[in-house]
Amino acid sequence: AVAVRKVTAGVPAALVAAVAAPVAVEHDGKAVNRPLTFELKLAPVDVGADNVASQFASERGLNCERLAELGIGVGQRGSMKDLLAIPIHNVEGELVAYCGRDLGLRGADAPKYVFPKQYNRELELYGWDTAQYYDQVALVEGFMPVIKHGGVAAEYGESGIGVASLMGFHISDAQIELLLQTQPRVVVCFLGEPSRQLQAMAVASSLANAGLWVTIRSCLRWQDPFSITSDEFCQVVGKI
């Protein structure tokens, strides 16, 4: 039998309006996000184009080739219209959802991120479909560090560093289980204001209690999370 369960724990207050009570599907006692049976047609983000998406990427130091590599583009219709649509894959590499990042085209009251109602983000780590293959993983809170730094980090040092995101500031049991499956060295690195360092400590504590090797890297020097370059990010998370 298939049961439906609503999950709302661990949702950052700033994103509650965007999440709108996600629904998880339980099958054989395990909650899963069902793979999508379609892919959205997205407009590419072009370098130097005179539009909002190109300006958004330029201001944040996002590489348009990297966006294309990850399948990220601007939604043309439906719930993703006028949003930067970010494909999310599960551990098997299956597409399970699109998250929409506001580009300022939906008005001042629009939520920063829009998640589909049927998607439970506590069951996945963004970028884990790639990061799971690395012995060392930088665990971040948002999408943008994975997008901006993940490609460079993969080539850093002798063996590279995986970058994965909680898509929030708390870690769930399901996300811990994903990390336990491969047992990487985990470096928790939350960018931005000092309060995030306390949240990073709570995440690291949960990982340590689960038996994972974990450390925290302070990023207080970069109050603006987009001011850190990929080389600087790799130097911070690469020191163990």
Side-chain angles (χ1 to χ4, degrees):
V2 176
V4 175
R5 179 168 61 97
K6 290 186 177 180
V7 181
T8 56
V11 178
L15 299 180
V16 168
V19 175
V23 177
V25 176
E26 259 184 32
H27 183 65
D28 293 334
K30 182 179 180 181
V32 296
N33 288 308
R34 288 177 175 172
L36 299 183
T37 57
F38 63 89
E39 292 185 8
L40 296 180
K41 282 190 174 182
L42 305 175
V45 181
D46 296 323
V47 178
D50 185 18
N51 57 47
V52 172
S54 179
Q55 182 179 355
F56 176 92
S58 177
E59 290 175 349
R60 290 159 178 78
L62 304 179
N63 184 292
C64 291
E65 291 183 1
R66 171 71 173 163
L67 294 176
E69 174 188 331
L70 297 175
I72 298 171
V74 181
Q76 302 298 290
R77 60 171 62 184
S79 62
M80 293 291 114
K81 182 174 174 56
D82 294 331
L83 299 175
L84 190 69
I86 304 170
I88 302 172
H89 299 84
N90 62 18
V91 66
E92 286 83 20
E94 299 169 312
L95 178 65
V96 293
Y98 287 90
C99 171
R101 173 58 161 89
D102 181 50
L103 294 171
L105 297 172
R106 288 191 166 190
D109 295 331
K112 187 175 182 179
Y113 288 99
V114 175
F115 290 87
K117 292 183 180 180
Q118 73 275 17
Y119 172 69
N120 179 4
R121 59 189 168 132
E122 293 188 349
L123 300 179
E124 319 290 352
L125 292 166
Y126 176 65
W128 187 242
D129 53 313
T130 299
Q132 64 179 309
Y133 299 109
Y134 291 86
D135 293 331
Q136 184 175 335
V137 172
L139 193 61
V140 298
E141 81 288 353
F143 288 94
M144 295 304 158
V146 179
I147 297 169
K148 182 174 181 178
H149 309 305
V152 175
E155 304 295 331
Y156 183 78
E158 295 183 0
S159 55
I161 302 170
V163 186
S165 170
L166 297 171
M167 297 178 280
F169 303 104
H170 309 278
I171 192 165
S172 68
D173 290 342
Q175 289 170 329
I176 292 174
E177 182 60 32
L178 287 174
L179 291 162
L180 284 171
Q181 289 174 9
T182 62
Q183 296 277 327
R185 299 186 301 274
V186 181
V187 180
V188 181
C189 182
F190 286 7
L191 302 173
E193 62 265 17
S195 62
R196 293 188 180 180
Q197 305 312 305
L198 296 176
Q199 294 163 326
M201 290 175 63
V203 168
S205 177
S206 296
L207 293 172
N209 289 338
L212 284 159
W213 190 104
V214 61
T215 188
I216 303 173
R217 285 293 173 263
S218 174
C219 298
L220 292 177
R221 173 182 168 189
W222 296 276
Q223 292 296 300
D224 176 0
F226 293 107
S227 66
I228 184 172
T229 68
S230 292
D231 286 342
E232 291 172 331
F233 178 84
C234 290
Q235 291 170 12
V236 169
V237 301
K239 296 177 181 177
I240 295 183

